[in-house]
Coordinates of all heavy atoms in Angstrom, one line a residue:
M1 N 98.1 160.9 108.4 CA 98.2 161.6 109.7 C 97.4 160.9 110.7 O 96.2 160.6 110.4 CB 97.8 163.1 109.4 CG 97.9 163.9 110.7 SD 97.8 165.6 110.4 CE 96.2 166.0 110.9
N2 N 97.9 160.7 111.8 CA 97.2 160.1 112.9 C 96.4 161.0 113.7 O 97.0 162.0 114.3 CB 98.2 159.3 113.8 CG 97.5 158.4 114.8 OD1 96.3 158.4 114.9 ND2 98.3 157.7 115.6
T3 N 95.1 161.0 113.7 CA 94.3 161.9 114.5 C 93.9 161.5 115.9 O 93.2 162.1 116.6 CB 93.0 162.2 113.7 OG1 92.3 161.0 113.5 CG2 93.4 162.9 112.4
M4 N 94.4 160.2 116.3 CA 94.1 159.7 117.6 C 94.9 160.3 118.6 O 96.1 160.3 118.5 CB 94.1 158.2 117.6 CG 93.3 157.5 116.6 SD 92.5 156.0 117.1 CE 92.6 155.9 118.8
A5 N 94.3 160.9 119.6 CA 95.0 161.5 120.8 C 95.4 160.4 121.7 O 94.7 159.4 121.9 CB 94.2 162.6 121.4
A6 N 96.6 160.6 122.5 CA 97.0 159.7 123.4 C 96.0 159.7 124.6 O 95.5 160.7 124.9 CB 98.4 160.1 123.9
P7 N 95.7 158.5 125.2 CA 94.7 158.5 126.2 C 95.3 159.3 127.4 O 96.5 159.3 127.7 CB 94.5 157.0 126.5 CG 95.7 156.4 125.9 CD 96.2 157.2 124.8
V8 N 94.4 160.0 128.2 CA 94.7 160.7 129.4 C 94.7 159.7 130.5 O 93.6 159.1 130.8 CB 93.8 161.9 129.6 CG1 94.1 162.6 130.9 CG2 93.9 162.8 128.4
I9 N 95.7 159.6 131.3 CA 95.7 158.8 132.5 C 95.6 159.7 133.7 O 96.5 160.5 133.9 CB 97.0 157.8 132.6 CG1 97.1 156.9 131.4 CG2 97.0 157.1 133.9 CD1 98.3 156.1 131.2
T10 N 94.6 159.5 134.4 CA 94.3 160.4 135.6 C 95.3 160.2 136.7 O 96.0 159.2 136.7 CB 92.9 160.2 136.2 OG1 92.9 158.8 136.7 CG2 91.9 160.4 135.1
K11 N 95.5 161.2 137.6 CA 96.4 161.1 138.7 C 96.0 159.9 139.6 O 96.9 159.2 140.1 CB 96.4 162.4 139.5 CG 97.5 162.4 140.5 CD 97.5 163.7 141.2 CE 98.4 164.7 140.5 NZ 98.7 165.9 141.3
R12 N 94.7 159.6 139.7 CA 94.2 158.5 140.5 C 94.7 157.2 140.0 O 95.2 156.3 140.6 CB 92.8 158.6 140.7 CG 92.2 157.5 141.5 CD 90.8 157.8 141.9 NE 90.1 156.7 142.7 CZ 90.3 156.5 144.0 NH1 91.1 157.3 144.6 NH2 89.7 155.6 144.6
K13 N 94.6 157.0 138.6 CA 95.0 155.8 137.9 C 96.6 155.6 138.1 O 97.0 154.5 138.3 CB 94.7 155.8 136.4 CG 93.2 155.5 136.1 CD 93.0 154.1 136.3 CE 91.6 153.8 135.7 NZ 91.3 152.4 136.0
R14 N 97.3 156.7 137.9 CA 98.8 156.6 138.1 C 99.1 156.2 139.5 O 100.1 155.4 139.7 CB 99.4 157.9 137.8 CG 99.4 158.2 136.2 CD 100.2 159.5 135.9 NE 99.8 160.5 136.9 CZ 99.5 161.7 136.6 NH1 99.6 162.2 135.4 NH2 99.2 162.6 137.5
A15 N 98.3 156.7 140.5 CA 98.6 156.3 141.9 C 98.3 154.8 142.0 O 99.0 154.1 142.8 CB 97.7 157.1 142.8
M16 N 97.3 154.3 141.4 CA 96.9 152.9 141.5 C 98.0 152.0 140.8 O 98.4 151.0 141.4 CB 95.6 152.6 140.8 CG 94.4 153.2 141.6 SD 92.8 153.1 140.7 CE 92.7 151.4 140.3
F17 N 98.6 152.5 139.8 CA 99.6 151.8 139.1 C 100.9 151.8 140.0 O 101.6 150.8 140.1 CB 100.0 152.3 137.7 CG 98.9 152.1 136.7 CD1 98.6 153.1 135.8 CD2 98.0 151.0 136.7 CE1 97.6 153.0 134.8 CE2 97.0 150.9 135.7 CZ 96.8 151.9 134.8
A18 N 101.2 152.9 140.6 CA 102.3 153.0 141.5 C 102.2 152.0 142.7 O 103.1 151.4 143.0 CB 102.5 154.4 141.9
C19 N 101.0 152.0 143.2 CA 100.7 151.1 144.3 C 101.0 149.6 143.9 O 101.5 148.8 144.7 CB 99.3 151.2 144.8 SG 99.1 152.7 145.8
E20 N 100.5 149.2 142.7 CA 100.7 147.9 142.2 C 102.2 147.5 142.2 O 102.7 146.5 142.6 CB 100.0 147.6 140.9 CG 98.6 147.6 141.0 CD 98.0 146.4 141.8 OE1 98.6 145.3 141.7 OE2 97.2 146.7 142.6
K21 N 103.0 148.5 141.7 CA 104.5 148.2 141.6 C 105.1 148.2 143.0 O 105.9 147.3 143.2 CB 105.1 149.3 140.8 CG 106.6 149.1 140.6 CD 107.2 149.9 139.5 CE 108.6 149.6 139.3 NZ 109.2 150.3 138.1
I22 N 104.7 149.0 143.9 CA 105.3 149.1 145.2 C 104.9 147.8 146.0 O 105.7 147.3 146.7 CB 104.8 150.3 145.9 CG1 105.4 151.6 145.4 CG2 105.1 150.3 147.5 CD1 104.8 152.9 145.8
K23 N 103.7 147.4 145.8 CA 103.2 146.1 146.5 C 104.1 144.9 146.2 O 104.3 144.0 147.1 CB 101.8 145.8 146.1 CG 101.1 144.7 146.8 CD 99.7 144.5 146.4 CE 99.0 143.4 147.1 NZ 97.6 143.3 146.8
T24 N 104.7 144.9 145.1 CA 105.5 143.7 144.8 C 106.7 143.5 145.6 O 107.3 142.4 145.8 CB 106.0 143.7 143.3 OG1 106.9 144.9 143.1 CG2 104.8 143.8 142.3
Q25 N 107.1 144.6 146.3 CA 108.3 144.6 147.2 C 108.0 144.2 148.6 O 108.9 144.0 149.4 CB 109.1 145.9 147.1 CG 109.5 146.2 145.7 CD 110.5 145.2 145.2 OE1 111.5 144.8 145.8 NE2 110.2 144.6 144.0
F26 N 106.8 144.3 149.0 CA 106.4 143.9 150.3 C 106.2 142.5 150.5 O 105.7 141.8 149.6 CB 105.1 144.6 150.7 CG 105.3 146.1 151.1 CD1 105.5 147.1 150.2 CD2 105.3 146.5 152.5 CE1 105.7 148.4 150.6 CE2 105.4 147.8 152.8 CZ 105.6 148.7 151.9
P27 N 106.7 141.9 151.7 CA 106.4 140.5 152.0 C 104.9 140.3 152.1 O 104.1 141.1 152.2 CB 107.1 140.3 153.4 CG 108.0 141.5 153.5 CD 107.4 142.6 152.8
T28 N 104.6 139.0 152.2 CA 103.2 138.6 152.2 C 102.6 138.3 153.6 O 101.5 137.9 153.7 CB 102.9 137.4 151.3 OG1 103.8 136.3 151.8 CG2 103.3 137.7 149.9
Y29 N 103.4 138.4 154.6 CA 102.9 138.1 156.0 C 101.9 139.2 156.4 O 101.9 140.3 155.9 CB 104.0 137.8 157.0 CG 105.0 138.9 157.2 CD1 104.8 140.0 158.0 CD2 106.2 138.9 156.4 CE1 105.8 140.9 158.2 CE2 107.2 139.8 156.6 CZ 107.0 140.8 157.4 OH 108.0 141.8 157.6
P30 N 101.0 138.9 157.3 CA 99.9 139.8 157.7 C 100.3 141.3 158.1 O 99.7 142.2 157.7 CB 99.1 139.1 158.8 CG 99.4 137.7 158.6 CD 100.8 137.6 158.0
E31 N 101.4 141.3 158.9 CA 101.8 142.6 159.3 C 102.4 143.5 158.2 O 102.1 144.7 158.1 CB 103.0 142.5 160.4 CG 102.5 141.9 161.6 CD 102.6 140.3 161.6 OE1 102.9 139.8 160.6 OE2 102.3 139.7 162.7
A32 N 103.0 142.8 157.2 CA 103.5 143.6 156.0 C 102.4 144.1 155.2 O 102.5 145.2 154.6 CB 104.4 142.7 155.2
K33 N 101.3 143.3 155.1 CA 100.1 143.7 154.3 C 99.5 145.0 155.0 O 99.1 145.9 154.3 CB 99.1 142.6 154.3 CG 99.5 141.5 153.4 CD 98.4 140.4 153.4 CE 98.9 139.2 152.5 NZ 97.9 138.2 152.4
L34 N 99.5 145.0 156.3 CA 99.0 146.2 157.0 C 99.9 147.4 156.7 O 99.5 148.5 156.4 CB 98.9 146.0 158.5 CG 98.5 147.1 159.4 CD1 97.1 147.5 159.0 CD2 98.6 146.8 160.8
Y35 N 101.3 147.2 156.8 CA 102.2 148.3 156.5 C 102.1 148.8 155.1 O 102.1 149.9 154.8 CB 103.6 147.9 156.8 CG 103.9 147.8 158.3 CD1 104.5 146.7 158.8 CD2 103.6 148.8 159.1 CE1 104.8 146.6 160.1 CE2 103.9 148.7 160.5 CZ 104.5 147.6 161.0 OH 104.8 147.5 162.3
F36 N 101.9 147.8 154.1 CA 101.6 148.3 152.8 C 100.4 149.1 152.6 O 100.4 150.1 151.9 CB 101.6 147.1 151.8 CG 101.0 147.5 150.4 CD1 101.9 148.2 149.5 CD2 99.8 147.2 150.0 CE1 101.4 148.6 148.4 CE2 99.3 147.5 148.8 CZ 100.1 148.3 147.9
A37 N 99.3 148.7 153.3 CA 98.1 149.5 153.3 C 98.3 150.9 153.7 O 97.7 151.9 153.1 CB 97.0 148.8 154.1
V38 N 99.2 151.1 154.7 CA 99.4 152.5 155.2 C 100.1 153.3 154.0 O 99.7 154.4 153.7 CB 100.3 152.4 156.4 CG1 100.8 153.8 156.8 CG2 99.6 151.8 157.6
V39 N 101.1 152.6 153.4 CA 101.8 153.3 152.3 C 100.9 153.5 151.2 O 100.9 154.6 150.5 CB 103.1 152.5 151.9 CG1 103.7 153.1 150.7 CG2 104.0 152.4 153.0
A40 N 100.1 152.6 150.8 CA 99.2 152.7 149.6 C 98.2 153.8 149.8 O 97.8 154.5 148.9 CB 98.5 151.4 149.4
L41 N 97.7 153.9 151.1 CA 96.7 155.0 151.4 C 97.4 156.4 151.2 O 96.8 157.2 150.6 CB 96.2 154.9 152.8 CG 95.2 155.9 153.2 CD1 93.9 155.8 152.3 CD2 94.8 155.7 154.7
A42 N 98.6 156.5 151.6 CA 99.4 157.8 151.4 C 99.5 158.0 149.9 O 99.4 159.2 149.4 CB 100.7 157.7 152.1
V43 N 99.9 157.0 149.2 CA 100.1 157.2 147.7 C 98.8 157.6 147.1 O 98.7 158.5 146.2 CB 100.7 155.9 147.1 CG1 100.7 156.0 145.6 CG2 102.1 155.6 147.6
M44 N 97.7 157.0 147.4 CA 96.4 157.3 146.9 C 96.0 158.8 147.2 O 95.4 159.5 146.4 CB 95.3 156.3 147.3 CG 95.6 154.9 146.6 SD 95.7 154.9 144.9 CE 94.1 155.5 144.4
D45 N 96.3 159.1 148.4 CA 96.0 160.5 148.9 C 96.7 161.6 148.1 O 96.3 162.7 148.0 CB 96.3 160.7 150.4 CG 95.3 160.0 151.3 OD1 94.2 159.5 150.7 OD2 95.5 159.8 152.5
L46 N 97.8 161.2 147.4 CA 98.5 162.1 146.6 C 97.7 162.6 145.4 O 97.9 163.6 144.8 CB 99.8 161.6 146.0 CG 101.0 161.4 147.0 CD1 102.2 160.7 146.3 CD2 101.5 162.8 147.5
S47 N 96.7 161.7 145.0 CA 95.8 162.1 143.9 C 94.7 163.0 144.2 O 94.0 163.4 143.4 CB 95.3 160.8 143.2 OG 94.4 160.1 144.1
H48 N 94.6 163.4 145.6 CA 93.6 164.4 146.0 C 94.2 165.7 146.1 O 95.4 165.8 145.8 CB 93.0 163.9 147.3 CG 92.3 162.6 147.3 ND1 91.1 162.4 146.7 CD2 92.6 161.4 147.7 CE1 90.7 161.2 146.7 NE2 91.6 160.5 147.3
G49 N 93.5 166.6 146.5 CA 94.0 168.0 146.7 C 94.0 168.4 148.1 O 93.5 167.7 149.0
G50 N 94.4 169.6 148.4 CA 94.3 170.2 149.7 C 95.1 169.6 150.7 O 96.2 169.1 150.6
A51 N 94.6 169.6 151.9 CA 95.3 169.2 153.1 C 95.6 167.7 153.1 O 96.6 167.3 153.6 CB 94.4 169.5 154.4
L52 N 94.7 166.9 152.5 CA 95.0 165.5 152.4 C 96.2 165.2 151.6 O 97.1 164.4 152.0 CB 93.7 164.8 151.7 CG 93.7 163.3 151.8 CD1 93.6 162.8 153.3 CD2 92.4 162.8 151.1
R53 N 96.4 165.8 150.4 CA 97.5 165.7 149.6 C 98.8 166.1 150.4 O 99.8 165.5 150.3 CB 97.4 166.4 148.3 CG 98.5 166.1 147.4 CD 98.6 167.1 146.3 NE 99.7 166.8 145.3 CZ 101.0 166.8 145.6 NH1 101.3 167.0 146.9 NH2 101.9 166.4 144.7
R54 N 98.7 167.3 151.0 CA 99.9 167.8 151.7 C 100.3 166.8 152.8 O 101.5 166.7 153.0 CB 99.5 169.2 152.3 CG 99.6 170.3 151.2 CD 99.5 171.7 151.8 NE 98.3 171.9 152.7 CZ 97.2 172.3 152.2 NH1 97.0 172.5 151.0 NH2 96.1 172.5 153.1
A55 N 99.4 166.3 153.6 CA 99.8 165.4 154.6 C 100.4 164.1 154.0 O 101.4 163.6 154.6 CB 98.5 165.0 155.5
A56 N 99.8 163.6 152.9 CA 100.4 162.4 152.3 C 101.8 162.7 151.8 O 102.8 161.9 152.0 CB 99.6 162.0 151.2
A57 N 102.0 163.8 151.2 CA 103.3 164.3 150.6 C 104.4 164.4 151.8 O 105.5 163.9 151.6 CB 103.2 165.5 149.9
R58 N 103.9 165.0 152.9 CA 104.9 165.1 154.1 C 105.3 163.7 154.6 O 106.4 163.5 154.9 CB 104.1 165.9 155.1 CG 105.0 166.3 156.3 CD 104.3 167.2 157.3 NE 103.3 168.1 156.8 CZ 102.0 167.9 157.0 NH1 101.5 167.0 157.8 NH2 101.1 168.8 156.5
Y59 N 104.3 162.8 154.6 CA 104.6 161.4 155.1 C 105.6 160.8 154.1 O 106.5 160.0 154.6 CB 103.3 160.6 155.3 CG 103.5 159.2 155.6 CD1 104.0 158.8 156.9 CD2 103.3 158.2 154.7 CE1 104.2 157.5 157.2 CE2 103.6 156.8 155.0 CZ 104.0 156.6 156.3 OH 104.2 155.2 156.6
L60 N 105.3 160.9 152.9 CA 106.2 160.2 151.9 C 107.5 160.8 151.6 O 108.4 160.2 151.0 CB 105.4 160.0 150.6 CG 104.1 159.1 150.6 CD1 103.2 159.3 149.5 CD2 104.5 157.7 150.9
R61 N 107.7 162.1 152.0 CA 109.0 162.8 151.8 C 110.1 162.3 152.7 O 111.2 162.3 152.3 CB 108.7 164.3 152.0 CG 108.9 165.1 150.8 CD 109.0 166.6 151.1 NE 108.1 167.1 152.1 CZ 106.9 167.6 151.9 NH1 106.4 167.6 150.8 NH2 106.2 168.1 152.9
G62 N 109.7 161.9 153.9 CA 110.8 161.5 154.8 C 111.0 160.0 154.8 O 110.7 159.3 153.8
T63 N 111.5 159.4 155.9 CA 111.6 158.0 156.0 C 110.3 157.4 156.2 O 109.6 157.8 157.1 CB 112.5 157.7 157.3 OG1 113.8 158.3 157.1 CG2 112.7 156.2 157.4
I64 N 109.9 156.5 155.3 CA 108.6 155.8 155.3 C 108.8 154.6 156.3 O 109.1 153.5 155.7 CB 108.2 155.5 154.0 CG1 108.2 156.8 153.0 CG2 106.7 154.9 154.0 CD1 108.0 156.4 151.6
H65 N 108.5 154.8 157.5 CA 108.8 153.7 158.5 C 108.0 152.4 158.2 O 108.5 151.3 158.4 CB 108.5 154.2 159.9 CG 109.4 155.3 160.3 ND1 110.8 155.1 160.6 CD2 109.2 156.7 160.5 CE1 111.3 156.3 160.9 NE2 110.4 157.2 160.8
A66 N 106.8 152.6 157.7 CA 105.9 151.5 157.4 C 106.6 150.6 156.3 O 106.4 149.4 156.3 CB 104.5 151.9 157.0
A67 N 107.4 151.2 155.4 CA 108.0 150.4 154.4 C 109.4 149.9 154.9 O 109.7 148.7 154.6 CB 108.2 151.4 153.1
E68 N 110.1 150.7 155.6 CA 111.4 150.3 156.1 C 111.4 149.1 157.0 O 112.3 148.2 156.9 CB 112.1 151.5 156.8 CG 112.4 152.7 155.9 CD 113.6 152.6 154.9 OE1 114.4 151.6 155.2 OE2 113.6 153.3 154.0
V69 N 110.4 149.0 157.8 CA 110.3 147.8 158.7 C 110.1 146.5 157.9 O 110.3 145.4 158.4 CB 109.3 148.0 159.8 CG1 109.6 149.1 160.7 CG2 107.9 148.1 159.3
C70 N 109.6 146.7 156.7 CA 109.4 145.5 155.8 C 110.5 145.3 154.8 O 110.5 144.4 154.0 CB 108.1 145.7 155.0 SG 106.6 145.7 156.1
G71 N 111.6 146.1 155.0 CA 112.7 146.0 154.1 C 112.6 146.7 152.7 O 113.4 146.4 151.8
V72 N 111.6 147.6 152.6 CA 111.4 148.4 151.4 C 112.0 149.7 151.6 O 111.7 150.4 152.5 CB 109.9 148.4 151.1 CG1 109.7 149.2 149.7 CG2 109.3 147.0 150.9
D73 N 112.9 150.1 150.7 CA 113.6 151.4 150.8 C 112.7 152.6 150.4 O 112.0 152.6 149.5 CB 114.8 151.4 149.8 CG 115.7 152.5 150.0 OD1 115.9 153.0 151.1 OD2 116.2 153.0 148.9
S74 N 112.7 153.5 151.3 CA 111.9 154.8 151.2 C 112.2 155.5 149.9 O 111.4 156.0 149.1 CB 112.1 155.7 152.4 OG 111.6 155.1 153.5
A75 N 113.5 155.6 149.6 CA 114.0 156.3 148.4 C 113.5 155.6 147.1 O 113.1 156.2 146.2 CB 115.5 156.4 148.4
W76 N 113.4 154.3 147.2 CA 112.9 153.5 146.0 C 111.5 153.8 145.8 O 111.0 154.0 144.7 CB 113.1 152.0 146.2 CG 112.6 151.2 145.1 CD1 113.2 150.9 143.9 CD2 111.3 150.5 145.1 NE1 112.3 150.2 143.1 CE2 111.2 149.9 143.8 CE3 110.2 150.4 145.9 CZ2 110.0 149.2 143.4 CZ3 109.1 149.8 145.6 CH2 109.0 149.2 144.3
I77 N 110.7 153.9 146.9 CA 109.3 154.3 146.7 C 109.1 155.6 146.1 O 108.3 155.9 145.2 CB 108.6 154.2 148.1 CG1 108.5 152.7 148.5 CG2 107.2 154.9 148.0 CD1 107.9 152.5 149.9
R78 N 109.9 156.6 146.5 CA 109.9 157.9 146.0 C 110.3 157.9 144.5 O 109.7 158.7 143.6 CB 110.7 158.9 146.7 CG 110.1 159.3 148.0 CD 110.9 160.4 148.7 NE 112.2 160.0 149.3 CZ 112.3 159.3 150.4 NH1 111.2 159.1 151.2 NH2 113.5 159.0 150.8
R79 N 111.2 157.0 144.1 CA 111.6 156.9 142.7 C 110.4 156.4 141.9 O 110.2 156.8 140.7 CB 112.9 156.0 142.5 CG 114.1 156.7 142.9 CD 115.3 155.9 142.4 NE 115.5 154.6 142.9 CZ 116.0 154.3 144.1 NH1 116.5 155.2 144.9 NH2 116.1 153.0 144.5
V80 N 109.7 155.4 142.4 CA 108.5 154.8 141.8 C 107.5 155.9 141.6 O 106.8 156.1 140.5 CB 107.9 153.6 142.5 CG1 106.6 153.2 142.0 CG2 108.9 152.5 142.5
L81 N 107.3 156.7 142.6 CA 106.3 157.8 142.5 C 106.7 158.8 141.4 O 105.8 159.3 140.7 CB 106.2 158.5 143.9 CG 105.6 157.6 145.0 CD1 105.6 158.4 146.3 CD2 104.2 157.2 144.6
R82 N 108.0 159.1 141.3 CA 108.4 160.0 140.2 C 108.2 159.4 138.9 O 107.8 160.1 137.9 CB 109.9 160.4 140.4 CG 110.1 161.5 141.4 CD 111.5 162.1 141.4 NE 112.5 161.1 141.7 CZ 112.9 160.7 142.8 NH1 112.4 161.3 143.9 NH2 113.9 159.9 143.0
Q83 N 108.4 158.1 138.8 CA 108.3 157.3 137.5 C 106.8 157.5 137.1 O 106.5 157.6 135.9 CB 108.6 155.9 137.7 CG 108.4 155.0 136.5 CD 108.6 153.5 136.8 OE1 109.0 153.1 137.9 NE2 108.5 152.7 135.8
F84 N 105.9 157.5 138.0 CA 104.4 157.6 137.6 C 103.9 159.1 137.8 O 102.7 159.4 137.8 CB 103.6 156.7 138.6 CG 103.7 155.3 138.2 CD1 104.6 154.5 138.8 CD2 103.0 154.7 137.1 CE1 104.8 153.1 138.5 CE2 103.1 153.5 136.8 CZ 104.0 152.6 137.5
D85 N 104.9 160.0 137.8 CA 104.6 161.5 137.8 C 103.8 161.8 139.0 O 102.8 162.6 138.9 CB 103.9 161.9 136.5 CG 104.0 163.4 136.3 OD1 104.9 164.0 136.9 OD2 103.1 164.0 135.6
L86 N 104.1 161.3 140.2 CA 103.4 161.6 141.4 C 104.5 162.2 142.4 O 105.1 161.5 143.1 CB 102.8 160.3 142.1 CG 101.7 159.7 141.3 CD1 101.4 158.2 141.8 CD2 100.4 160.5 141.3
D87 N 104.5 163.5 142.4 CA 105.6 164.2 143.1 C 105.1 164.3 144.6 O 104.0 164.7 144.9 CB 105.8 165.6 142.5 CG 107.2 166.1 142.8 OD1 107.9 165.5 143.6 OD2 107.5 167.3 142.5
V88 N 106.1 164.2 145.4 CA 105.8 164.4 146.8 C 106.1 165.8 147.4 O 106.1 166.0 148.6 CB 106.5 163.3 147.7 CG1 106.0 161.9 147.4 CG2 108.0 163.4 147.6
V89 N 106.3 166.7 146.5 CA 106.6 168.1 146.9 C 105.2 168.8 147.0 O 104.4 168.8 146.1 CB 107.4 168.9 145.8 CG1 107.5 170.3 146.2 CG2 108.7 168.2 145.7
A90 N 104.9 169.2 148.3 CA 103.6 169.8 148.5 C 103.4 171.2 148.0 O 104.4 171.9 147.8 CB 103.3 169.7 150.0

């Protein structure tokens, strides 16, 4: 019998992993790095509670303009967030 429990991955760690995956789709020019930083901040804010989380969820629920101008689909980002169990429902 295996008595080792599965490691617990915190919401913050899952948000970091999601950011790493999302980052691969953004171009490398300076403006795109700035736009990615906006999206990454919102994703990381999902790991907090209260008003910060609600604001991030509201931003990520709609069209994510910072991603769309770089050619990254908003719906794809939401699928990645669901993959890492980071729901954008406030």
Side-chain angles (χ1 to χ4, degrees):
M1 182 162 104
N2 189 358
T3 59
M4 300 221 14
V8 176
I9 300 175
T10 65
K11 190 178 272 190
R12 183 164 175 80
K13 283 282 191 187
R14 289 186 313 226
M16 289 171 55
F17 294 145
C19 284
E20 287 299 316
K21 183 167 185 173
I22 292 167
K23 184 178 185 177
T24 64
Q25 298 302 306
F26 277 77
T28 57
Y29 54 88
E31 294 86 355
K33 289 180 181 182
L34 177 62
Y35 287 130
F36 168 72
V38 170
V39 173
L41 183 60
V43 171
M44 292 306 295
D45 286 350
L46 286 176
S47 66
H48 297 287
L52 192 60
R53 186 198 183 295
R54 285 191 301 275
R58 190 177 326 112
Y59 175 73
L60 294 167
R61 248 192 319 269
T63 300
I64 307 168
H65 296 288
E68 295 285 341
V69 298
C70 294
V72 181
D73 186 39
S74 299
W76 178 81
I77 290 176
R78 286 188 288 277
R79 284 193 300 274
V80 169
L81 295 177
R82 279 193 300 275
Q83 178 184 2
F84 287 95
D85 198 24
L86 296 166
D87 199 3
V88 294
V89 176

